[in-house]
DNA sequence: CTCCATAATGATAATGAATCTCATCTAATT
DNA sequence: AATTAGATGAGATTCATTATCATTATGGAG
């Protein structure tokens, strides 16, 4: 339910930080809407709801959410960071349509295992990875036929 | 040997473009030095060799090299693009040390096959992918023990 | 070799995402 | 209500990259 909201307040408090309307708004927005949002989009959505917030605060709040592992930061290669709420979904990677920008998610345990062995072979201790597949989604393939 | 240089001249000419000293210099620099160079590094190296070139021309030349598939553009997540000459090495992906910035390369055909099946399952026609593993390299792990 | 059209270059301004500054505001406790 | 330190907003700043445009130089024609 809204355990998520409670989570943020608890974390915020525990760290001696303050639970502000701006922080709550960004967190709710990231939870309730589609994932893979960029900062500008969050900023405009909240402004459109008459919530008083600045770009700087959007960025600062997201930074906190990422720090406390509630939000994942994505670099999809288009110059702006995207963010997705980590509640309610496990680790996944992304398929991105180069034509329409559609983003799909995939989970593949075999690849995850191979990543571990690649790291081991190269004497790396892994912390994270980026795995993104770019191409044409089904819709955009069909439009190519015209 | 220098078939590469000939390649560029041929491509340049074929497109009705002009083979300038700046374009040759950038291409030679990318061929002769370590891979994973950023534009600024190429700019300064060439200036250091008394080659007259501007940042804009470095970027413009790299754009051409990427367009004609001689150079691959990498986004390693640190805010600046890296470039690597595609001659003399097949497709590979990267391991990146988050502490010292070291970059290693890996080739894994099993992963490449899995990428194809993931794309097929999701009805995507793949064009390319980004696969980067981040962690601590061997040296940096040892320094952690201090 | 010289001329010429035009592609290419360089200096600089502009862009855009993200961060920083700092005066002002406000959450949270007393 | 007063207090205080953390949080905010407006605007400046940074940094990589791109755009502008006057000047330069390539490469083909003659
Ligand atoms: Zn599409
Ligand atoms: Zn996702
Ligand atoms: Zn290292
Ligand atoms: Zn490489």
């Amino acid at each position: 339910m809204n355990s998520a909201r409670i989570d943020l307040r608890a974390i915020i408090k525990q760290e001696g930080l303050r639970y502000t309307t701006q922080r709550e708004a960004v967190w709710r927005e990231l939870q309730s809407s589609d994932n893979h949002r960029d900062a500008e989009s969050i900023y405009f959505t909240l402004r459109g709801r008459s919530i008083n917030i600045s770009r700087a605060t959007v960025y600062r709040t997201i930074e906190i959410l990422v720090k406390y592992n509630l939000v994942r930061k994505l670099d999809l290669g288009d110059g702006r960071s995207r963010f997705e709420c980590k509640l309610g979904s496990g680790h996944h990677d992304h398929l991105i349509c180069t034509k329409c920008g559609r983003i799909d998610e995939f989970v593949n345990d075999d690849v995850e295992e191979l990543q571990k062995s690649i790291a081991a072979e190269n004497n790396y201790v892994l912390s994270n990875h980026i795995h993104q597949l770019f191409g044409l989604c089904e819709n955009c393939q069909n439009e190519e036929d015209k």
Side-chain angles (χ1 to χ4, degrees), chain A:
Chain A
M1 265 95 289
N2 55 9
S3 63
R5 198 160 73 240
I6 292 172
D7 275 349
L8 181 59
R9 173 171 255 140
I11 291 171
I12 288 283
K13 294 288 188 147
Q14 193 174 336
E15 296 295 318
L17 305 176
R18 293 175 184 174
Y19 194 64
T20 65
T21 53
Q22 287 86 351
R23 288 175 176 175
E24 179 177 0
V26 170
W27 177 227
R28 294 183 85 134
E29 182 59 21
L30 271 166
Q31 284 179 273
S32 63
S33 63
D34 287 340
N35 268 332
H36 319 120
R37 301 282 301 280
D38 60 41
E40 196 71 358
S41 148
I42 293 169
Y43 170 70
F44 275 115
T45 302
L46 296 181
R47 300 285 285 204
R49 288 195 198 134
S50 309
I51 292 169
N52 217 341
I53 196 168
S54 65
R55 283 186 178 79
T57 297
V58 171
Y59 280 106
R60 285 186 287 231
T61 302
I62 291 173
E63 188 179 28
I64 292 172
L65 296 173
V66 169
K67 178 178 179 184
Y68 293 109
N69 213 33
L70 298 170
V71 164
R72 181 182 176 198
K73 181 178 184 173
L74 303 174
D75 177 359
L76 267 40
D78 61 350
R80 60 212 151 117
S81 294
R82 309 301 190 93
F83 305 95
E84 63 182 6
C85 177
K86 293 184 79 171
L87 300 182
S89 74
H91 171 73
H92 60 264
D93 292 296
H94 298 94
L95 283 149
I96 299 128
C97 178
T98 53
K99 192 171 176 191
C100 71
R102 173 175 167 169
I103 300 170
D104 285 288
E105 305 185 336
F106 69 87
V107 177
N108 189 294
D109 293 334
D110 293 335
V111 171
E112 303 281 329
E113 283 306 312
L114 286 167
Q115 289 170 339
K116 289 176 190 167
S117 53
I118 292 165
E121 285 164 20
N122 289 273
N123 299 113
Y124 270 71
V125 174
L126 278 194
S127 53
N128 62 304
H129 64 257
I130 295 177
H131 194 193
Q132 297 167 351
L133 308 183
F134 295 90
L136 288 179
C137 73
E138 197 166 10
N139 292 339
C140 291
Q141 289 166 48
N142 294 334
E143 293 197 2
E144 298 280 292
D145 301 336
K146 283 178 184 173

